[in-house]
Amino acid sequence: MSLEIKVVPTDFGDIWLRARFSRQAPDRPILLIIRGAFARLDDWTILTQVFRQADVVIADLPGFNCPGLSVASVPEFALAFEQAIDSAFSDRKVVVFGMSIGGLVAMSLRNARVAGVIACDPPLTTIDLWPLRAMLREYVERETTTPYMLQWVEKVFGVTAEGAVNVDYTGLLDRLPRPTTIIVATEPLEPERPVSSIPGLINAADRKRIFAMTDIGCFSSKGGHNVALQDKWTVAATINLALYGADRL
């Protein structure tokens, strides 16, 4: 599906937004979808036709399907998206749905226009991401001519050619925007085992903490990390609830 591109300048570089902008209506809220790392260009685009009560806008993490920023880390990505939201949607309510690392960016947003955040299987403790280990190492070995993307993988995932260190995002749970919903995959991360697809990327300790939180919404989705394909109904229901809540603000 071909979508129009709107390039939004920020202090950190350009944020690219994709949507059918010519068909948008100013009285509807914005559903901003931030895709995860390594997303394909057509991932999630079907959602632009599903939620008729909102104008759906799709964004990639800087560096994937769009140019990178001057920096590469989740906090700086969030700052850039905050500026883009102010610039592109100055008079609209915005619900942000973030997948994986995109979910971490959504959880980091501190923008008054954001009327709801949904984080889908956000990997809060990167040292435990054994299902991505081989892929990330191969990527680092292959991308030797792209310094920005090497920095990206190091700052976001903690992976370099020399090994891996933990990037701890669990502090985001202490200061979430309100209202926030977290979707947790039912297929657990542990133990390390042969798998045919990527399981959930939230470790057991982080899952336990999320389920114990009383000030956020929490849904379990069937299957593993790729919730969009494995549990479309949970994704749709969660987004619809967030849009309904935004409309009542």
Side-chain angles (χ1 to χ4, degrees):
M1 180 189 303
S2 178
L3 299 176
E4 303 162 55
I5 297 176
K6 178 182 289 186
V7 179
V8 184
T10 77
D11 292 342
F12 305 91
D14 294 338
I15 293 291
W16 285 26
L17 304 176
R18 291 180 167 89
R20 294 186 293 178
F21 291 107
S22 58
R23 302 185 185 183
Q24 291 191 351
D27 58 332
R28 291 195 294 254
I30 295 290
L31 172 60
L32 174 61
I33 297 173
I34 305 178
R35 296 188 283 206
F38 305 100
R40 297 172 302 180
L41 192 57
D42 61 344
D43 285 351
W44 302 78
T45 55
I46 188 62
L47 295 184
T48 60
Q49 302 180 55
V50 172
F51 297 98
R52 301 300 175 89
Q53 72 273 43
D55 289 328
V56 181
V57 178
I58 294 178
D60 284 289
L61 295 169
F64 291 98
N65 304 315
C66 62
L69 300 180
S70 58
V71 289
S73 73
V74 166
E76 281 75 18
F77 293 163
L79 291 173
F81 271 102
E82 287 177 355
Q83 292 183 14
I85 288 169
D86 273 338
S87 177
F89 313 126
S90 59
D91 56 350
R92 312 282 289 276
K93 296 174 184 176
V94 181
V95 170
V96 183
F97 178 95
M99 178 63 200
S100 190
I101 300 297
L104 297 175
V105 174
M107 292 164 65
S108 303
L109 294 173
R110 301 293 179 269
N111 188 299
R113 302 189 193 285
V114 175
V117 163
I118 305 166
C120 191
D121 205 46
L124 296 163
T125 305
T126 66
I127 198 66
D128 294 331
L129 301 181
W130 62 265
L132 306 184
R133 195 176 298 149
M135 182 270 289
L136 290 173
R137 286 176 179 168
E138 291 173 5
Y139 184 82
V140 167
E141 292 173 359
R142 187 173 67 249
E143 290 294 322
T144 54
T145 60
T146 316
Y148 178 80
M149 296 311 297
L150 294 177
Q151 181 193 36
W152 205 110
V153 174
E154 177 181 2
K155 296 297 184 182
V156 174
F157 286 110
V159 175
T160 67
E162 288 71 40
V165 297
N166 188 41
V167 184
D168 185 356
Y169 297 107
T170 57
L172 291 174
L173 297 176
D174 296 322
R175 51 185 188 276
L176 290 170
R178 298 291 185 269
T180 292
T181 298
I182 298 178
I183 299 177
V184 179
T186 54
E187 185 179 351
L189 176 62
E190 300 94 342
E192 189 169 341
R193 62 199 183 277
V195 291
S196 58
S197 60
I198 300 175
L201 294 183
I202 304 176
N203 69 23
D206 296 338
R207 288 163 64 95
K208 183 177 180 180
R209 182 178 175 188
I210 290 168
F211 284 126
M213 296 177 71
T214 59
D215 54 350
I216 66 168
C218 187
F219 287 84
S220 294
S221 66
K222 298 176 183 177
H225 187 61
N226 196 350
V227 174
L229 293 178
Q230 297 171 342
D231 195 352
K232 299 175 183 177
W233 294 112
T234 294
V235 170
T238 307
I239 290 175
N240 277 319
L241 282 171
L243 291 171
Y244 175 77
D247 196 48
R248 292 170 62 89
L249 289 177

